[in-house]
Amino acid sequence: MPTMRASIWGRAWGCLFAIAGAGALTAAQEQAPQPTFKAGVQVLRIDVSVLDGKREPVRGLQESDFTVLEDGKPRPIRSFQAVDAVAATAAKAAAQPAMALLPAHNVATNQVSGDTSRLIFILMDRSIPPERPMIVARQIADAAVDAMAPGDQAAIISTGLLAPQNLTSDRARLHKTIASSDWSQGPSQAQQDQGAGPYDALGDTRCMCGLCVMDTITRIANDVRGVPRRKVLLFIGSSIIVQAGPRNFALDVGCEKRVRDAREKLFDALGTSGLTVHSIDPQGLATVGPATRATVPNGVENRDGRALNQQLMNERSAFMDAQGSLGVLPALTGGRVILNNNEPFRMVPAVLHESDAYYLVAFEPTEGTGDVRHDIQVKVARQGVDVHTARYIAASRPAATATASATPSPDAPLEDALTGLLADSAPPLGMSVAAFAGPDAAHASIGVTLDASAFADKPGSIPLELAVLASDERGKRVGGARQSGSVQLPASAAGSAAFVELQTFVTLPPGSYDLRAAVMNRDTHAASSVFTHITVPSFSAGSLTLSDVVLGTRQTAGAPPEGAPAIPIVPTTARVFAADAPAWAFLRVYRAGETDAAQRVSLDVTVLDSQGKRVKHQSLPNAAFAGRQADVRLPLPMKDLAPGAYVLRLEARQARAEASREVAFTVTPAVMAIAPTEHTPELDATLDAAAAYLERYERRISAIGAEEDYQQAVTPLPGVAVNTLQTLQSRRDALSNTTTAPTTRKTRANVMTIGMGALGWVAFRDVFEVDGKAVRDREERLSRILQNVTPDSLDQARKIAVESARYNLDPETTRIDRTINVPMTALLFLRGANQSRSAFRLGKPERVGGVDCVTLQFTERSEPRLIQTRDDAPAQGTVWIDMVNGGRIVKTELSMVSGGILNMAVHSRTAVTYSRVDKLDLWVPVVMDEKYEVIATHQTVTGHATYLDFREFK
């Protein structure tokens, strides 16, 4: 299957570079979404929190306990998932999915798949009083970071939407950001008493009318709208302006209306997002009035008792208004208010504990839902519980009566994707970054590689705009790159999965940075973004340092632009490689200064498997240097490694100085290569016999039903993940204590196979029981619908199949959409009309169930594929044929390797055994075994189905 590459090297802001097409790449290196059968209905997925009277999360609820109302009318629930952070943490501790703890800058993606971890926004507001309240505010924020569950992401936000630290799971980075800034914008009480006068929050020109606070929360709510995860905002501050009355004419700048308009936008945003707001006041037990403070100077002119009393009344009124304002947003969203507590940080763990468990409910909205706003209500069949979720479905476009705004900038989608709080995930985008010594001692060159394959959706010229933005630890922009170009895809690429990678660079001084990249199609204005962070070391002459490790599958052609890191291989975001495909790792070593140049630098190269066991080792006792640097280029030992997950570790030593780097990669089985069919008499006879048998089979089939018993399990692959933060001994200890208990499910269903004449057949599954519990009445819907086969009845049957597919077990954080796991799928490749689509060869004869069989192997060649996946992955398989009995099919095996975005590869294999059913006088599937290996989560999904009670419908 042809796969196209494209790449660019960027220069700086405003530079233009063309994006040129390049050669082919093996199918095992493609970056494309997970296997998905393209069928289904439109659904909306919302997260639902259910709390009891003590604000404890209610666990153990079932789908049948929930009712979703849209505009007061019940809507069908299409999928349901209970999320429990505590249980998930325990499972991760036991299973340790591969790659989970590798450095975040290895490969970043904007695809969260089924990620159910929480998003926590810590808003340090301008209203935090200086001095002690600011200290307490930092303690509150630190307590929230400490209470994060594994996988949770938190961001530090300040009023005005400055994000000193974007969403990350790195607690050290979050703590460092919290300690590095002072967010107070008002004068202290002492400053006010000593002449500054009362602080006028409405008149502060830095945030006129206080709108910046509501605007910040509105933007956060809008950014997380449609993200089906628990979203929590901790508002740390002493007040929030949600209403403003008339002011003195000389001071009035229209705050009353401006605040009202901002409040309406905020309430709408909160209603559609499901964001829960908790307000925490860091002031503690406040003392109100000048008599309580030592800062009131005696003898100030006109400071008599009447003035002091008036000041007391004014402060008391302002204090009560401020405390009351803090309760508005929690009351609206189901959050808490923490006031008048000298140690509010001690209550933060309990606040986050409320979202430890919640539910994801997907329902089918009414037609036309996207045109206007619709009310949502979720009811739970439990007494005394509080249910919190989104309250509206937002309109997808503004109402017709809305006033048209100014024509937006053509670059607006790119800028929005680049500057949002969350990465824009449509289309998919991936990024890897690597730091090298730069043009001078004070700067480094950061190479950026973007997987933009999702933008290459058709042959021809595809114009793309690329932007990269770097921000320091205080959220200040410090660098970036931007360029335009075109991906040229030839007509021969139609229907193939194009692998397009864009490369650029930025120059930065040593430090820690938030790195963002966005790509936009200039014709369609479709844009997406991806975020990561990177720590840039100092490549000065004073120490032994290493660049990041770069992986690549081809050599560099031509020289890079001035200032870009010159390396011999083209960097790639791919981390999954076939065993028979070439791939290299590259690292640059920078030795200490000239005074130490005589001291040799040794390099140890180690490959660790998923259990932390060393499987390969090489020692380079004396690296060859040119000046201060030495280039190390190593072939990855694919052919010597069994399929699985690995970590490549490189360790450099010079005297007592040490430095190391690591990178993860995965080896997949070599792609089974079958040359175009060479027609021999034996092969032609086998193909003809199989085609004739299936033709008779299709004429014989009218409608055959059976009852299916289907047992599924999700099991961690043997071993534990390679945790780069652990020692080998701790990994071995973890392995010895690891349990791998599978997650299981048992379903019972009616399966129907319908003959379609010359078109072959179709098969559908209708689940009626899950884990011993009926999910519907056991009436045979399929047989009733299909008694009279029409296009409408087939469409109903497909919808039933999609509905039943939601009972398929999936590995954690990854969804495998499969509505085609029905037993006769492999026979499609042997139909006479389809044989030209695949390459065939004869294998060794084998005996199956006492029957001597000829084995026939095939690889799909033509497109579109018979089994649809979003990356058009080809199918491969083996068929066991009884030639003595006219080409009868005795057994089939079908396999696929579908590469997901950023290595979410899924390896599937389905084996089916046939047997004779006397009452039908027909050989039919009686056993089906499935296996799906998910590389990213280091888990296996298995299924074992048996078929009984066959019956025929005419």
Side-chain angles (χ1 to χ4, degrees):
M1 179 172 62
T3 303
M4 306 307 297
R5 277 184 176 273
S7 64
I8 59 176
W9 276 104
R11 293 290 300 274
W13 289 98
C15 291
L16 303 178
F17 266 82
I19 306 176
L25 184 70
T26 59
Q29 292 167 325
E30 294 167 7
Q31 304 293 295
Q34 303 167 40
T36 303
F37 180 70
K38 298 177 181 177
V41 295
Q42 171 97 19
V43 296
L44 289 177
R45 202 172 187 214
I46 56 176
D47 53 288
V48 183
S49 172
V50 184
L51 304 178
D52 63 18
K54 297 181 179 179
R55 298 192 68 90
E56 290 284 329
V58 177
R59 293 175 167 84
L61 298 177
Q62 304 296 320
E63 178 182 329
S64 56
D65 295 318
F66 286 79
T67 302
V68 178
L69 304 175
E70 181 184 342
D71 294 333
K73 298 179 180 178
R75 300 303 304 161
I77 295 176
R78 294 303 184 190
S79 71
F80 176 84
Q81 180 182 359
V83 179
D84 192 329
V86 175
T89 300
K92 287 180 180 179
Q96 290 285 327
M99 318 306 179
L101 296 177
L102 288 173
H105 63 264
N106 231 332
V107 177
T109 175
N110 61 358
Q111 300 299 290
V112 297
S113 298
D115 194 349
T116 56
S117 58
R118 295 174 294 190
L119 300 179
I120 303 169
F121 300 94
I122 302 172
L123 177 54
M124 307 297 283
D125 187 55
R126 62 196 291 267
S127 64
I128 300 172
E131 300 169 351
R132 185 183 180 280
M134 178 52 66
I135 296 174
V136 176
R138 291 196 184 100
Q139 291 175 315
I140 296 169
D142 284 331
V145 173
D146 291 336
M148 291 168 57
D152 285 350
Q153 295 186 63
I156 309 299
I157 311 293
S158 63
T159 304
L161 204 64
L162 182 66
Q165 177 55 59
N166 198 45
L167 286 165
T168 180
S169 296
D170 190 332
R171 298 188 183 191
R173 294 178 65 88
L174 292 164
H175 284 307
K176 185 176 180 180
T177 302
I178 291 166
S180 65
S181 297
D182 189 327
W183 289 272
S184 297
Q185 293 187 10
S188 68
Q189 188 62 58
Q191 291 171 324
Q192 295 179 56
D193 287 338
Q194 294 172 354
Y199 173 60
D200 181 13
L202 290 173
D204 190 336
T205 56
R206 295 168 298 180
C207 182
M208 189 60 70
C209 303
L211 299 181
C212 63
V213 183
M214 285 196 291
D215 289 347
T216 297
I217 301 174
T218 299
R219 177 69 182 276
I220 295 172
N222 284 332
D223 279 357
V224 301
R225 187 177 72 190
V227 179
R229 300 160 73 173
R230 272 283 83 189
K231 289 103 38 182
V232 177
L233 186 146
L234 301 181
F235 178 88
I236 304 175
S238 296
S239 68
I240 176 172
I241 297 173
V242 292
Q243 64 180 11
R247 307 188 75 201
N248 182 286
F249 179 78
L251 301 175
D252 193 4
V253 291
C255 284
E256 185 174 10
K257 181 180 184 305
R258 294 170 67 180
V259 169
R260 182 177 66 248
D261 292 345
R263 183 178 65 243
E264 290 178 359
K265 292 179 181 178
L266 172 58
F267 286 6
D268 281 348
L270 291 173
T272 56
S273 69
L275 178 68
T276 301
V277 180
H278 303 275
S279 293
I280 307 177
D281 185 359
Q283 289 186 104
L285 289 169
T287 55
V288 180
T292 65
R293 300 191 294 272
T295 57
V296 179
N298 294 320
V300 173
E301 188 177 359
N302 296 325
R303 184 63 67 93
D304 57 15
R306 183 182 302 175
L308 291 173
N309 188 56
Q310 183 62 47
Q311 184 177 349
L312 171 62
M313 294 176 62
N314 292 341
E315 290 185 15
R316 182 181 297 165
S317 177
F319 177 76
M320 294 177 65
D321 288 345
Q323 296 242 306
S325 70
L326 291 176
V328 173
L329 300 186
L332 189 69
T333 62
R336 287 200 197 192
V337 187
I338 300 177
L339 306 170
N340 302 316
N341 189 313
N342 287 334
E343 295 182 332
F345 47 85
R346 299 191 183 280
M347 301 183 67
V348 170
V351 169
L352 292 183
H353 171 64
E354 295 178 9
S355 54
D356 278 349
Y358 63 96
Y359 301 88
L360 293 173
V361 180
F363 67 96
E364 184 179 346
T366 55
E367 214 170 307
T369 287
D371 297 336
V372 295
R373 195 180 81 176
H374 292 249
D375 293 333
I376 302 175
Q377 184 181 8
V378 177
K379 294 185 176 181
V380 177
R382 290 290 188 277
Q383 295 292 329
V385 298
D386 290 323
V387 180
H388 305 289
T389 185
R391 294 178 290 116
Y392 313 121
I393 302 174
S396 60
R397 58 177 181 266
T401 57
T403 303
S405 60
T407 303
S409 164
D411 291 336
L414 186 70
E415 292 295 331
D416 290 344
L418 195 65
T419 58
L421 282 176
L422 298 178
D424 194 327
S425 60
L429 197 63
M431 174 169 64
S432 63
V433 296
F436 293 84
D440 55 64
H443 293 84
S445 291
I446 315 303
V448 179
T449 302
L450 294 169
D451 176 6
S453 304
F455 286 86
D457 54 355
K458 61 181 180 180
S461 179
I462 304 173
L464 297 180
E465 189 93 7
L466 164 65
V468 177
L469 174 65
S471 303
D472 65 14
E473 293 176 293
R474 298 179 67 86
K476 180 182 177 182
R477 298 188 181 190
V478 294
R482 185 164 182 168
Q483 66 256 13
S484 301
S486 296
V487 172
Q488 303 292 339
L489 293 181
S492 60
S496 66
F499 186 19
V500 175
E501 290 194 318
L502 315 178
Q503 274 128 7
T504 188
F505 75 96
V506 293
T507 302
L508 297 170
S512 185
Y513 299 96
D514 180 45
L515 207 60
R516 298 168 170 232
V519 177
M520 180 181 72
N521 184 314
R522 294 201 309 273
D523 282 346
T524 64
H525 291 95
S528 64
S529 57
V530 58
F531 304 159
T532 189
H533 58 263
I534 183 172
T535 299
V536 179
S538 174
F539 293 104
S540 66
S543 61
L544 175 70
T545 52
L546 303 178
S547 73
D548 289 303
V549 183
V550 171
L551 300 185
T553 58
R554 57 194 176 106
Q555 299 184 26
T556 299
E562 181 181 354
I567 60 178
I569 62 175
V570 179
T572 181
T573 59
R575 294 296 183 266
V576 176
F577 306 97
D580 57 350
W584 294 271
F586 176 78
L587 176 83
R588 184 160 286 156
V589 182
Y590 304 92
R591 64 182 173 183
E594 295 299 327
T595 57
D596 298 324
Q599 294 180 333
R600 295 189 302 179
V601 177
S602 63
L603 191 70
D604 282 341
V605 182
T606 307
V607 177
L608 305 172
D609 66 12
S610 61
Q611 301 180 23
K613 179 182 177 182
R614 189 171 76 175
V615 294
K616 286 286 180 181
H617 180 260
Q618 179 182 3
S619 181
L620 306 176
N622 189 13
F625 279 83
R628 277 199 65 228
Q629 67 184 45
D631 286 358
V632 180
R633 177 182 175 183
L634 301 166
L636 295 180
M638 301 297 187
K639 295 182 180 179
D640 299 330
L641 300 176
Y646 297 91
V647 163
L648 175 67
R649 174 183 294 166
L650 299 104
E651 299 170 288
R653 293 180 179 85
Q654 183 182 22
R656 295 184 179 181
E658 296 182 355
S660 64
R661 286 286 186 269
E662 294 176 326
V663 66
F665 67 97
T666 296
V667 179
T668 65
V671 177
M672 184 174 69
I674 296 181
T677 303
E678 296 181 5
H679 291 276
T680 63
E682 294 81 5
L683 177 59
D684 287 344
T686 304
L687 290 172
D688 290 344
Y693 173 76
L694 290 179
E695 184 179 357
R696 297 191 301 271
Y697 202 86
E698 292 167 6
R699 290 199 302 266
R700 172 67 177 79
I701 292 176
S702 173
I704 295 176
E707 184 173 301
E708 176 191 68
D709 284 344
Y710 188 29
Q711 298 184 18
Q712 304 176 66
V714 177
T715 309
L717 292 172
V720 299
V722 178
N723 178 348
T724 62
L725 305 180
Q726 290 179 320
T727 63
L728 280 174
Q729 183 58 48
S730 64
R731 292 190 190 108
R732 295 187 182 110
D733 293 342
L735 178 63
S736 64
N737 295 325
T738 296
T739 59
T740 57
T743 301
T744 61
R745 175 171 295 167
K746 181 177 180 179
T747 63
R748 297 177 65 196
N750 291 316
V751 176
M752 182 75 70
T753 303
I754 310 298
M756 301 293 289
L759 297 178
W761 60 88
V762 291
F764 304 98
R765 174 185 286 104
D766 185 15
V767 174
F768 60 80
E769 184 179 290
V770 177
D771 292 332
K773 182 179 179 180
V775 295
R776 62 169 186 81
D777 293 336
R778 195 179 167 180
E779 57 180 333
E780 298 210 7
R781 291 192 296 181
L782 284 177
S783 60
R784 187 178 69 253
I785 291 172
L786 300 174
Q787 287 291 339
N788 181 25
V789 178
T790 67
D792 287 342
S793 62
L794 286 178
D795 184 61
Q796 292 181 57
R798 289 189 186 97
K799 289 183 178 180
I800 290 174
V802 172
E803 176 188 338
S804 295
R806 64 192 171 111
Y807 299 113
N808 290 335
L809 276 181
D810 287 320
E812 187 175 351
T813 76
T814 304
R815 175 165 176 74
I816 308 173
D817 291 327
R818 57 192 198 275
T819 59
I820 58 170
N821 54 340
V822 287
M824 293 172 61
T825 302
L827 300 184
L828 294 173
F829 296 88
L830 294 180
R831 297 184 70 240
N834 293 335
Q835 286 185 2
S836 63
R837 303 172 56 85
S838 302
F840 293 89
R841 72 178 179 190
L842 290 174
K844 295 181 180 180
E846 292 185 17
R847 190 172 180 84
V848 179
V851 178
D852 292 321
C853 296
V854 171
T855 59
L856 185 64
Q857 298 175 346
F858 67 89
T859 295
E860 189 176 18
R861 296 283 185 185
S862 298
E863 297 179 4
R865 307 299 189 191
L866 291 179
I867 297 175
Q868 298 178 35
T869 64
R870 281 181 283 184
D871 63 343
D872 289 324
Q876 304 174 59
T878 303
V879 184
W880 287 259
I881 302 174
D882 178 6
M883 292 294 291
V884 175
N885 289 285
R888 183 172 61 200
I889 309 298
V890 176
K891 180 181 177 182
T892 65
E893 185 175 290
L894 185 67
S895 63
M896 297 179 70
V897 178
S898 185
I901 275 290
L902 293 174
N903 312 311
M904 298 295 287
V906 177
H907 302 196
S908 67
R909 184 183 68 84
T910 304
V912 178
T913 302
Y914 289 73
S915 185
R916 174 183 169 81
V917 174
D918 292 336
K919 70 177 180 179
L920 298 181
D921 189 23
L922 196 66
W923 281 62
V924 294
V926 292
V927 176
M928 178 179 71
D929 287 292
E930 294 179 281
K931 185 177 183 180
Y932 299 85
E933 292 187 358
V934 185
I935 297 300
T937 62
H938 204 57
Q939 290 173 297
T940 298
V941 182
T942 58
H944 175 76
T946 57
Y947 299 92
L948 304 167
D949 191 20
F950 288 90
R951 58 270 194 205
E952 187 170 13
F953 303 87
K954 296 296 184 181

